[in-house]
Amino acid sequence: MTTNNFHQAVFLRRSPKEVLCVDKDKTYHVYDLQIAVKAFSVYLSMSDFKKIAIYTDDAYLFLVAFSACIYAKKEVILLGSMHVDLSVENEYFDALISDRNFDNAKIPNLNIKELIKEIPLRSIDEIPAVNHDAVITKKPDPESKISFFTSGSTGKSKKIEKTLSQLEKDILHLEDLTKDLDEHKDLIFMASVSPCHLYGLTFRVLLPFLRSFVFDTRFFKYHEELCDNGVGKKVVFVSSPAILKKIDRSLKCPKIIFTLSAGASLSNQSAKEYYEWSSCPITEIYGSTETNFIGHREAKGLLQMYTPFKGVTFKKQDDALYLHSPLLKEPYLLDDNIVFEGDKFIVKSRKDKVVKLSENRVSLTHIEQLSVQIEGIDDAVAIPVEKNSRTHIGVVLATKSADILNSDEEKRHDFVKRYRETLKEQIIPIAIPRYIRFVKQIPVNSMGKKVVTELMEMFK
């Protein structure tokens, strides 16, 4: 396995002629990255920006922007699924690097496509064997800050700060899981997740980059794209339950040798269907932005237990369970319901979402669980809604009922009345949802997680 050092990967270790990544009709070499990073970092160094958000699904543009920010000593902000109104100033960042233009944006938007378009891609014959010009000799600060935002399951995102050295350590932490990839030649990483999450940044960008694997720059939202562009290649597919559970088994599967999934839980049935289609088990990663990567398992359709990553242990203290990990500075209190068998474990349920209303602890998770037990409700998301300086519970209910969705006011009123009466029997009055909205399907992001910020817009 090659070194995980970021600076060496950008400027020192790899030949300028080496293929870095590919697009539909482009091939990027290491030399192209070096020239772009040096030029863009100089540009950023001359600015007064301190915190810069990166927003692009193109993995090459993301890597250029990320690297340039690190060398220019700017804090990298990765918003994940958090929605930010660009028409007003915000507390999170003072500039945005993206690959598109935004109307009425009050935040400076640096369109990276426009900024680096004057840097031509070289053919292999035009690239020098040794790069003497486009090199940054000074190593980046290992304490360079990269800040992530959680998905905000109760409506409020939480900022999680990490450093460049921590991200390098993450890749080393994954060695046991991915060491077999070194045995394969001509691998290509293809992904259906954004690089703006910890999972996407780690597995879609940094892992192939630091390990010298070629990656496809594109974001593959549909199975047809994966199958068409994966023909004749050995594919590592970095994905999520949102994509994997919708696999079209009528399509001819490319040669997938390794599949990764994280974020939301994946059903045994979805894992079984994917394995039958691809002959490749899904390696599920258990963890979060706060905890980093805790464990992994191979999903083929049967109930499989997670194996902790190297150095990860759990300790019970009274009724609490604490995670000890070489990736964390201190033990972390886990709220998930975890059952152990020897050194392996099963996650029975994820963390309960709790908010406080008038000195009462209200479980949003419990409201959701009760809601889906009611006939006609397929899914539910409960969130706190603030109106007139007071907080109440709102709930978005997914249903296929034509009567409710087609705005039959009388039938909808009757359903809401029965819904609230059913909940009154099992939860305190203040927890009964005051605001109710109906949809055909709960929206999810590329990680398969429910987009709470989008749902909150329904209550404004």
Side-chain angles (χ1 to χ4, degrees), residues 214-230:
V214 176
F215 59 90
D216 196 302
T217 68
R218 291 167 290 178
F219 184 116
F220 294 97
K221 295 181 180 179
Y222 306 103
H223 299 124
E224 292 86 352
E225 296 174 333
L226 171 71
C227 295
D228 290 345
N229 291 279

Side-chain angles (χ1 to χ4, degrees), residues 282-447:
I282 298 170
T283 298
E284 284 190 89
I285 308 294
Y286 169 59
S288 66
T289 309
E290 295 93 333
T291 64
N292 281 52
F293 310 112
I294 299 173
H296 59 92
R297 67 178 179 181
E298 278 197 354
K300 298 180 180 179
L302 301 174
L303 183 61
Q304 300 286 335
M305 306 196 78
Y306 284 98
T307 299
F309 282 107
K310 188 175 181 179
V312 171
T313 59
F314 304 87
K315 291 185 180 179
K316 285 189 176 181
Q317 186 175 326
D318 299 325
D319 291 331
L321 180 65
Y322 286 88
L323 168 71
H324 293 253
S325 169
L327 301 180
L328 300 175
K329 294 179 180 178
E330 58 187 21
Y332 183 88
L333 175 63
L334 289 171
D335 293 323
D336 294 347
N337 180 14
I338 297 177
V339 177
F340 295 90
E341 287 188 20
D343 61 350
K344 297 182 184 296
F345 63 92
I346 295 175
V347 182
K348 287 288 188 180
S349 60
R350 301 303 293 261
K351 182 168 67 174
D352 198 5
K353 298 180 294 182
V354 176
V355 295
K356 207 164 188 180
L357 298 181
S358 302
E359 302 306 314
N360 293 283
R361 285 172 57 84
V362 175
S363 170
L364 302 178
T365 304
H366 187 45
I367 295 171
E368 293 168 355
Q369 291 170 341
L370 293 174
S371 297
V372 296
Q373 292 174 14
I374 297 173
E375 186 178 355
I377 302 301
D378 302 314
D379 201 356
V381 176
I383 52 180
V385 177
E386 289 189 20
K387 287 193 177 182
N388 302 320
S389 301
R390 298 194 65 182
T391 302
H392 298 283
I393 301 300
V395 65
V396 180
L397 303 175
T399 177
K400 296 183 178 66
S401 170
D403 291 336
I404 296 173
L405 292 172
N406 293 338
S407 300
D408 186 315
E409 292 297 332
E410 183 177 349
K411 291 181 179 179
R412 182 179 293 192
H413 181 270
D414 290 343
F415 179 86
V416 169
K417 183 178 180 180
R418 292 197 310 273
Y419 170 78
R420 288 187 170 131
E421 286 176 350
T422 302
L423 264 59
K424 278 181 184 178
E425 300 172 2
Q426 303 176 73
I427 56 179
I428 59 175
I430 199 170
I432 303 296
R434 172 169 290 199
Y435 307 107
I436 301 175
R437 303 290 185 268
F438 296 95
V439 295
K440 284 185 178 181
Q441 189 173 12
I442 302 293
V444 296
N445 63 19
S446 64
M447 296 291 294

Side-chain angles (χ1 to χ4, degrees), residues 5-282:
N5 184 275
F6 180 80
H7 180 63
Q8 288 189 4
V10 180
F11 288 110
L12 302 178
R13 191 182 74 237
R14 302 174 69 174
S15 165
K17 293 178 177 287
E18 192 175 329
V19 175
L20 173 73
C21 55
V22 297
D23 201 337
K24 183 179 181 180
D25 52 3
K26 297 176 185 174
T27 297
Y28 298 90
H29 296 87
V30 171
Y31 188 68
D32 299 312
L33 175 73
Q34 292 170 342
I35 291 178
V37 169
K38 184 174 182 180
F40 198 31
S41 65
V42 170
Y43 175 85
L44 293 177
S45 297
M46 294 187 294
S47 75
D48 294 328
F49 305 134
K50 292 180 173 61
K51 299 184 291 184
I52 301 180
I54 302 175
Y55 180 72
T56 175
D57 288 328
D58 183 291
Y60 174 71
L61 295 179
F62 180 93
L63 181 57
V64 171
F66 179 88
S67 304
C69 285
I70 294 296
Y71 282 102
K73 300 180 180 179
K74 308 295 183 182
E75 179 181 350
V76 176
I77 306 295
L78 299 180
L79 299 173
S81 303
M82 188 176 76
H83 173 74
V84 177
D85 185 357
L86 297 177
S87 65
V88 296
E89 294 184 354
N90 67 79
E91 61 186 290
Y92 307 111
F93 55 92
D94 45 27
L96 173 70
I97 297 175
S98 70
D99 56 1
R100 65 205 77 178
N101 295 316
F102 295 95
D103 295 331
N104 303 317
K106 291 290 179 66
I107 305 295
N109 176 33
L110 311 178
N111 188 320
I112 189 169
K113 273 187 177 179
E114 296 295 320
L115 289 169
I116 68 171
K117 70 179 181 180
E118 300 302 324
I119 303 174
L121 295 181
R122 273 75 171 175
S123 68
I124 190 69
D125 295 331
E126 297 174 304
I127 296 175
V130 179
N131 180 7
H132 294 293
D133 302 318
V135 175
I136 298 176
T137 56
K138 188 175 181 180
K139 296 179 181 179
D141 184 354
E143 296 304 305
S144 297
K145 268 202 294 190
I146 299 96
S147 296
F148 301 84
F149 286 84
T150 62
S151 53
S153 58
T154 59
K156 292 184 178 180
S157 294
K158 180 181 177 183
K159 185 178 181 181
I160 309 295
E161 292 184 358
K162 298 185 183 295
T163 66
L164 178 62
S165 61
Q166 284 179 305
L167 295 179
E168 290 177 327
K169 195 174 181 180
D170 287 355
I171 304 301
L172 199 59
H173 187 62
L174 299 168
E175 181 176 4
D176 288 345
L177 179 68
T178 59
K179 61 185 177 183
D180 290 345
L181 297 181
D182 292 318
E183 299 175 3
H184 296 273
K185 294 182 178 180
D186 303 322
L187 275 183
I188 186 164
F189 276 62
M190 302 175 74
S192 64
V193 295
S194 167
C196 297
H197 302 270
L198 177 61
Y199 169 63
L201 171 64
T202 302
F203 287 97
R204 183 183 172 192
V205 179
L206 291 183
L207 178 62
F209 176 57
L210 296 180
R211 295 278 297 279
S212 301
F213 294 122
V214 176
F215 59 90
D216 196 302
T217 68
R218 291 167 290 178
F219 184 116
F220 294 97
K221 295 181 180 179
Y222 306 103
H223 299 124
E224 292 86 352
E225 296 174 333
L226 171 71
C227 295
D228 290 345
N229 291 279
V231 174
K233 302 172 183 176
K234 293 181 181 178
V235 176
V236 174
F237 187 33
V238 183
S239 192
S240 71
I243 295 293
L244 297 174
K245 70 181 181 181
K246 297 177 182 177
I247 200 73
D248 183 353
R249 291 195 288 177
S250 67
L251 299 173
K252 184 178 180 180
C253 181
K255 190 174 183 179
I256 300 175
I257 64 165
F258 194 55
T259 303
L260 286 153
S261 178
S265 58
L266 184 73
S267 70
N268 289 336
Q269 182 61 30
S270 295
K272 178 176 180 290
E273 291 176 358
Y274 182 85
Y275 181 64
E276 290 174 347
W277 178 70
S278 67
S279 301
C280 178
I282 298 170

